[in-house]
Amino acid sequence: MRRLVVSVLTSLDGRYVGAGGDLSRMPFEDAFDDHNLALLQRAGTLVYGGRWFPDNWSHWSAVAADPSAGGRDRAIAERVTSLDNLVVSDSLAVDDWAPWAPRTRVVRRDDGPAAVARLKEGEGGDLLMFGSATTWNPFLAQGLVDELVVLVGACVVGEGASLYAGPPAGLRLLDAEVLPGSQLVRLRYDATGAAR
């Protein structure tokens, strides 16, 4: 059995983006990228929402092609551009000519939970999601998320999109730590009891 791991960055007041999708106040520190690389090294499939996938792919494929990129960024880019992708979207279409097409499957939102459940029954590394709250919130509510990792940044955004907007969900804290050299607090939860 594979696990679905969701990792999210949030402000102290529980916002994953500010007003209008603004991320400028969020603390993207070196420790954030170190954390993401560690998760990517255990992943076998990346799970995305339709809006996040094209931007993330474009960013990391550009890094992969940049000879001046640092070692950690190149390692992240290699993982992001070589892993299989499941994209949950009612609007994104796979163009056969797209460089990501051979490794990417797009499913409708209504079919997302069943697609994730099928992948979890197989073998391989973790299913890994970053952000995409409108995509992972229903997965948590349906008991599909095994581990929820919340990075709490030292900022208060005041308004914007809430981290979670679903029914009550039970979580069990596994550990908490300040990521080295940062002001990010990592909270790791067992989410297997989330569905009620």
Side-chain angles (χ1 to χ4, degrees):
M1 289 286 289
R2 303 170 75 184
R3 303 181 318 139
L4 174 58
V5 176
V6 174
S7 180
V8 294
L9 174 66
T10 182
S11 63
L12 186 59
D13 55 341
R15 309 291 183 175
Y16 72 95
V17 292
D22 181 17
L23 294 171
S24 63
R25 299 194 70 135
M26 300 300 277
F28 294 103
E29 302 172 334
D30 282 345
F32 175 74
D33 288 334
D34 292 341
H35 162 82
N36 290 343
L37 178 57
L39 292 177
L40 284 162
Q41 289 170 332
R42 294 191 298 268
T45 301
L46 296 175
V47 182
Y48 291 94
R51 282 178 289 184
W52 177 235
F53 173 70
D55 292 343
N56 197 56
W57 177 270
S58 294
H59 172 78
W60 289 112
S61 58
V63 171
D66 180 359
S68 68
R72 181 193 55 216
D73 285 351
R74 291 185 70 77
I76 292 172
E78 188 278 325
R79 294 298 289 165
V80 168
T81 58
S82 65
L83 291 170
D84 290 337
N85 305 295
L86 175 68
V87 182
V88 180
S89 174
D90 290 336
S91 59
L92 184 70
V94 177
D95 295 314
D96 292 339
W97 51 264
W100 45 266
R103 305 195 69 86
T104 302
R105 179 173 162 227
V106 179
V107 298
R108 292 176 54 247
R109 282 197 173 274
D110 288 347
D111 299 328
V116 166
R118 279 192 299 276
L119 285 173
K120 286 181 65 173
E121 290 173 357
E123 299 295 324
D126 290 340
L127 308 178
L128 176 61
M129 287 191 75
F130 293 110
S132 298
T134 57
T135 304
W136 70 260
N137 280 193
F139 294 162
L140 181 70
Q142 294 179 46
L144 292 169
V145 177
D146 296 283
E147 185 174 316
L148 176 62
V149 183
V150 180
L151 299 179
V152 181
C155 68
V156 177
V157 175
E159 58 183 324
S162 295
L163 181 67
Y164 184 72
L171 303 171
R172 184 173 62 86
L173 183 66
L174 297 172
D175 63 52
E177 73 165 319
V178 177
L179 294 184
S182 81
Q183 294 198 32
L184 291 170
V185 177
R186 185 190 72 188
L187 305 171
R188 205 165 57 89
Y189 295 95
D190 177 343
T192 56
R196 294 277 181 222

